[in-house]
């Protein structure tokens, strides 16, 4: 489902009394969660959280044409307890990457988003502090989590994918494995993103609008 940014936004209500949540959920995902800000001030906290998670499940259900679906939001590493509270047995995947490569990758991500940035020592040190916090969380976490190295995905994709299938409990045929490796290659995914990225986003907007109209 792409980057849902659901649990990191939901988790922010503990620090700002719902300010970020109200601003984000009013418009995010074409307003699919826009009724949640209205409920925040009228429902007890636990009841609100249950309503919110129920809405999240409905959002995921839009993608049920697939056998397995996932939400690839990086910030969820800081919200593992909240995720486990509502989905205690859900499989979680963390992809680790060489910190220096992450810093460079994030820098260009910021540029694509139109955010001015200068990659210097101060920039790198600031991002490294985030990485340290993430590593501390991973070392302390005892829940259902599989860790994969980004470098292994590129160097030995077949072996890495088989390990992921095993973790997810998926019995994939050899033909399926080869198709995924071909369709999910870095080169092909980059090309697809360039060609159909905007078209797919526009199509999703229409799907969300129809879902809101017909429930």
């Amino acid at each position: 489902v792409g980057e849902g940014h659901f649990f990191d936004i939901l988790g922010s209500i503990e620090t700002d009394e719902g300010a970020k949540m109200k601003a984000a959920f009013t418009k995010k995902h074409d307003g699919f969660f826009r009724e949640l800000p209205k409920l925040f001030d009228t429902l007890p906290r636990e009841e609100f959280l249950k309503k919110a998670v129920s809405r999240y499940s409905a959002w995921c259900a839009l993608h049920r044409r697939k056998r397995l679906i996932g939400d690839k939001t990086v910030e969820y590493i800081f919200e593992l307890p909240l995720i486990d509270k509502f989905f205690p047995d859900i499989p979680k995947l963390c992809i680790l990457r060489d910190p220096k490569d992450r810093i460079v990758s994030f820098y260009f991500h910021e540029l694509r988003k139109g955010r001015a940035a200068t990659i210097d020592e101060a920039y790198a040190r600031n991002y490294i502090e985030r990485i340290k916090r993430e590593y501390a969380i991973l070392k302390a976490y005892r829940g259902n989590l599989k860790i994969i190295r980004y470098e292994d995905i590129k160097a030995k994709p077949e072996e890495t994918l088989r390990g992921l299938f095993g973790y997810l409990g998926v019995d994939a045929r050899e033909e399926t494995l080869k198709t995924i490796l071909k369709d999910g290659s870095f080169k092909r995914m980059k090309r697809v993103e360039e060609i159909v990225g905007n078209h797919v986003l526009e199509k999703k907007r229409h799907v969300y609008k129809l879902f809101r109209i017909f429930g």
Side-chain angles (χ1 to χ4, degrees), residues 4-53:
H5 282 287
F6 177 80
F7 287 101
D8 53 315
I9 292 174
L10 197 63
S12 68
I13 65 177
E14 299 301 328
T15 57
D16 66 6
E17 288 301 314
K20 179 179 179 180
M21 181 275 299
K22 291 177 181 179
F25 281 164
T26 298
K27 296 181 179 180
K28 195 168 185 62
H29 299 304
D30 296 299
F32 191 87
F33 298 98
R34 62 183 175 186
E35 80 278 8
L36 295 181
K38 302 172 185 177
L39 298 175
F40 182 72
D41 295 321
T42 61
L43 295 177
R45 181 62 54 85
E46 285 301 310
E47 188 175 344
F48 168 77
L49 290 174
K50 290 179 181 179
K51 288 278 188 182
V53 172

Side-chain angles (χ1 to χ4, degrees), residues 51-183:
K51 288 278 188 182
V53 172
S54 175
R55 189 62 176 163
Y56 175 73
S57 295
W59 180 66
C60 290
L62 292 175
H63 307 267
R64 284 298 180 188
R65 63 189 180 277
K66 300 291 186 180
R67 286 178 60 193
L68 295 173
I69 59 173
D71 181 340
K72 62 171 187 175
T73 305
V74 177
E75 285 77 8
Y76 284 178
I77 192 171
F78 300 112
E79 304 298 339
L80 294 178
L82 182 60
I83 294 172
D84 286 344
K85 177 178 181 177
F86 294 100
F87 301 102
D89 299 319
I90 197 168
K92 291 176 288 294
L93 175 68
C94 178
I95 301 176
L96 295 184
R97 189 176 187 182
D98 188 313
K100 65 179 184 297
D101 293 334
R102 274 193 64 184
I103 292 168
V104 174
S105 176
F106 186 72
Y107 168 71
F108 283 107
H109 172 76
E110 293 288 272
L111 290 183
R112 287 193 297 271
K113 291 289 186 178
R115 301 166 185 157
T118 301
I119 188 165
D120 53 18
E121 183 174 349
Y123 181 92
R125 288 186 178 278
N126 181 63
Y127 198 81
I128 286 173
E129 289 304 312
R130 169 180 171 148
I131 294 175
K132 288 181 178 179
R133 295 197 305 273
E134 293 173 348
Y135 280 16
I137 290 172
L138 290 175
K139 289 174 67 176
Y141 186 64
R142 295 295 180 267
N144 187 4
L145 175 71
K146 180 175 179 61
I147 295 178
I148 293 178
R149 293 175 68 250
Y150 176 88
E151 290 77 15
D152 288 341
I153 297 176
K154 299 190 71 175
K156 43 184 179 181
E158 184 172 339
E159 178 183 335
T160 304
L161 189 57
R162 288 186 187 279
L164 175 58
F165 281 169
Y167 171 65
L168 296 175
V170 175
D171 184 16
R173 295 176 298 176
E174 193 68 25
E175 180 182 348
T176 303
L177 180 69
K178 291 180 179 179
T179 299
I180 292 176
L181 289 173
K182 177 183 176 182
D183 293 346

